[in-house]
Amino acid sequence: MEPPVRLASTGTIIHGVSVGEVLGVSTLAKATLIAGRSGLDRIVQRLNVMEVPDILAWVKPHELLLTTGYPLRNTPQSLDRLVADLDERGLAALAIKLGRYVDELPAEMVAQADRLGFPLIVLPNDVGFDDILNQVLTDILNRQAAVLVRAEEAHRALVQVVLAGGGLGEVATEVAALLDVAVAAVDGAGRVLACAGPPEHVAALRRMAGTAGRTGEVVSVPVVAGGHHHGRIVAHSPAGPIRDSDIGILERAATVAALVITRQDAVNAVESKYRADFLRDVLTGRAGSAERIANRSRAFGWDLERPVTVLVAELDPECDERTAQDRLVASWTSAMRRHDPCGAAAGFSHEVVAVVDALVDSSKVARDAAAAFADASSVGTFSTGTSRSCPGADSLPEAYGQALKAARVGRQLHGPGAVAHFDQLGVYRLLSLVNDTAELHAFVRETLGPLAADDDTENADLRRTLQVLLETNLNVAETARRLHFHYNTLRYRIGKLERLLGNFTEDPHLRLNLTLALHVLRMRGI
């Protein structure tokens, strides 16, 4: 079996020169290109000499292979397959000396080289392989050194941007100047955060900013920091394909962009903590005088001196707080800014509090935040509570309590993802004020008796009949219609209920107690 082909080795030269440039060196001035002209742009990164029969096992991509034909002197038929074999292995070109071991190349070999765009070069007999090796390798190394120097200069310039406190705009401007291309910094959602370069090319770049990877004139490099994907650096070169060496500079720019984003995230985290601490103090009545609250609020861009409404979004119990809390804060901050740029929003341990203008439709803010949270998180929900309108900062603690109670009672009534307004809680608002839940449980058991438990299907069915009867104010015909019962069946059930609970059809006080007990049962979690 033929040994495996080695496609790379330690110390591989990344950059090189084209075959056309190799033919321009002085030692190859008398060399003749006899086939494969369309492959002159193939890159030569190394040179090799074929003077042993098993050379194919050791060739590498981007090699210029030099030979006298010695290994093929006894098997000229192998020349027909040689071009295809070398092309398959990614070689750049084949240069051969004719006359000593091989007099001429077969016509089929030349035709095949033309079809594959694989350059075939006939070397002059008076030039030694060592001269060719020395001169071409020198050119390759000089080219590589120039690339490294340019990359190092670009690295220093980009690092200087960070040290000077520059942002993504400055990074894009520096890269555009270094590479003479249009450059954009794009976030994970495809939005352009910063753009720079020749004005006539920027508009085209914005249209192509969503392109991922490399597509000729457009190259996209990911920006990754802390294991998180923050977006991409995208470059557009109308003059032609972007070179590999320029892609290396774009990758360095992506690293610098990651540093900029990480630094900004750290700054934002500190600012967010100060905002959250201050808003918590305001909502708990510990922020000081109204003048102090107004001054600090204005410094944060908030307006708390106008009539406002407080909204509380609280993660539901089954939600993973570690992954969902940041998304919850981002979703509510974004929704709040769209509806009220002067509103306040901050995240606490497992909730987000937003303070918005009382004239803003708080239900729309909640819907927008829920939609953004659902897009960013595949699992988990939150419940939202809304307070009454309050005239200013002095009444914010009371409004916060109202919103928090609305969120929690709404979840108890309707389950996860509930949206409730404090004024719409009705009797549930009063029941939620009872801190002694054991007393509430005792009241339910004493009032409903066996109907308080869910372990019996018949009792649960009778409880449903009782609830509809009370909702219809004992209208038997309407109750039978809602429950799809025959009139006589319902009369039978009413008799059974009265034997269990008492004569509630005649006793309004008993009906009130039964109604309250059913309301308590609806408040989940009590």
Side-chain angles (χ1 to χ4, degrees):
M1 179 181 294
E2 185 180 67
V5 177
R6 297 192 306 177
L7 297 180
S9 63
T10 304
T12 297
I13 298 175
I14 298 174
H15 302 284
V17 296
S18 69
V19 176
E21 291 173 313
V22 168
L23 290 173
V25 302
S26 59
T27 54
L28 295 178
K30 298 179 181 179
T32 305
L33 178 71
I34 62 172
R37 182 171 295 276
S38 61
L40 288 179
D41 58 348
R42 293 190 181 213
I43 299 300
V44 177
Q45 294 180 348
R46 57 181 69 83
L47 285 82
N48 200 352
V49 177
M50 180 177 71
E51 298 295 16
V52 292
D54 61 345
I55 187 64
L56 291 178
W58 310 109
V59 295
K60 303 178 181 67
H62 304 297
E63 277 187 345
L64 170 59
L65 188 59
L66 308 176
T67 183
T68 61
Y70 177 78
L72 306 170
R73 66 192 188 285
N74 298 322
T75 55
Q77 65 275 14
S78 300
L79 290 171
D80 294 340
R81 297 194 309 270
L82 184 60
V83 168
D85 290 338
L86 296 178
D87 180 70
E88 183 180 349
R89 287 160 173 77
L91 268 72
L94 173 65
I96 187 169
K97 285 187 177 183
L98 297 178
R100 186 172 182 183
Y101 300 108
V102 177
D103 293 330
E104 62 180 1
L105 298 179
E108 175 56 30
M109 181 182 183
V110 175
Q112 189 176 48
D114 277 327
R115 286 196 301 271
L116 296 174
F118 184 85
L120 283 181
I121 303 167
V122 175
L123 298 173
N125 289 321
D126 58 349
V127 176
F129 284 173
D130 57 339
D131 293 331
I132 299 174
L133 290 167
N134 288 335
Q135 192 167 34
V136 175
L137 284 176
T138 298
D139 284 355
I140 291 174
L141 292 175
N142 287 340
R143 181 72 57 87
Q144 176 73 356
V147 168
L148 292 175
V149 169
R150 185 165 178 259
E152 183 62 28
E153 291 174 351
H155 178 73
R156 284 199 298 269
L158 291 168
V159 169
Q160 188 59 39
V161 169
V162 177
L163 296 177
L168 291 177
E170 288 75 14
V171 172
T173 300
E174 188 68 35
V175 176
L178 287 168
L179 304 183
D180 193 23
V181 296
V183 178
V186 183
D187 67 10
R191 293 185 294 268
V192 176
L193 304 177
C195 202
E200 64 273 17
H201 302 153
V202 168
L205 174 61
R206 287 182 177 274
R207 291 193 300 271
M208 295 182 287
T211 303
R214 181 177 184 180
T215 56
E217 299 176 354
V218 179
V219 171
S220 176
V221 179
V223 177
V224 180
H228 299 288
H229 188 281
H230 293 281
R232 290 169 288 115
I233 296 293
V234 184
H236 170 48
S237 173
I242 296 177
R243 296 173 297 179
D244 289 341
S245 58
D246 290 347
I247 295 176
I249 293 177
L250 288 173
E251 290 172 346
R252 290 174 183 256
T255 301
V256 172
L259 292 174
V260 171
I261 292 172
T262 303
R263 180 191 64 194
Q264 189 58 49
D265 285 347
V267 172
N268 291 340
V270 174
E271 291 182 350
S272 296
K273 183 179 184 305
Y274 279 120
R275 290 168 181 263
D277 289 346
F278 173 64
L279 186 57
R280 183 186 289 108
D281 289 342
V282 172
L283 296 175
T284 55
R286 299 178 300 188
S289 66
E291 181 180 0
R292 180 175 182 274
I293 292 174
N295 290 336
R296 290 201 63 184
S297 298
R298 283 194 292 270
F300 288 135
W302 301 343
D303 184 0
L304 302 183
E305 300 176 88
R306 55 184 174 166
V308 293
T309 301
V310 177
L311 295 94
V312 170
E314 192 175 48
L315 289 172
D316 292 320
E318 77 282 1
C319 196
D320 186 353
E321 293 183 10
R322 293 171 299 176
T323 58
Q325 179 63 16
D326 290 343
R327 295 169 182 168
L328 184 66
V329 173
S331 301
W332 272 92
T333 301
S334 176
M336 184 270 299
R337 286 174 179 168
R338 282 198 299 272
H339 293 274
D340 182 11
C342 294
F348 300 156
S349 58
H350 61 284
E351 69 185 24
V352 173
V353 180
V355 182
V356 300
D357 192 330
L359 299 178
V360 170
D361 188 343
S362 58
S363 62
K364 288 185 177 179
V365 180
R367 285 197 299 270
D368 285 357
F373 184 76
D375 289 342
S377 179
S378 58
V379 293
T381 56
F382 62 85
S383 297
T384 306
T386 306
S387 74
R388 293 170 175 166
S389 173
C390 65
D394 290 342
S395 53
L396 277 175
E398 180 183 358
Y400 171 60
Q402 294 172 356
L404 190 60
K405 189 176 296 296
R408 293 177 178 175
V409 174
R411 183 191 296 115
Q412 291 171 345
L413 292 175
H414 309 296
V419 179
H421 193 288
F422 184 74
D423 283 338
Q424 297 171 347
L425 298 180
V427 69
Y428 299 106
R429 188 170 75 240
L430 299 177
L431 293 174
S432 68
L433 297 175
V434 180
N435 295 324
D436 191 348
T437 57
E439 187 64 32
L440 286 176
H441 283 300
F443 172 73
V444 171
R445 289 193 301 270
E446 293 167 4
T447 306
L448 295 179
L451 302 188
D454 289 326
D455 54 356
D456 189 295
T457 304
E458 183 181 4
N459 287 340
D461 198 28
L462 284 172
R463 189 170 70 231
R464 170 63 179 159
T465 302
L466 174 63
Q467 181 175 329
V468 178
L469 272 170
L470 295 173
E471 288 175 355
T472 61
N473 198 25
L474 302 183
N475 187 323
V476 178
E478 176 62 17
T479 301
R481 186 189 67 80
R482 290 191 188 183
L483 295 176
H484 306 289
F485 288 160
H486 190 275
Y487 183 85
N488 292 334
T489 301
L490 184 58
R491 295 301 308 178
Y492 168 77
R493 281 176 170 256
I494 292 174
K496 191 170 184 178
L497 284 168
E498 290 197 314
R499 288 192 295 273
L500 289 170
L501 305 173
N503 189 16
F504 65 87
T505 58
E506 301 294 336
D507 186 347
H509 296 291
L510 178 55
R511 288 200 298 274
L512 175 60
N513 287 342
L514 292 171
T515 301
L516 288 174
L518 291 172
H519 283 328
V520 172
L521 276 182
R522 287 194 63 198
M523 295 179 66
R524 308 176 187 193
I526 290 183

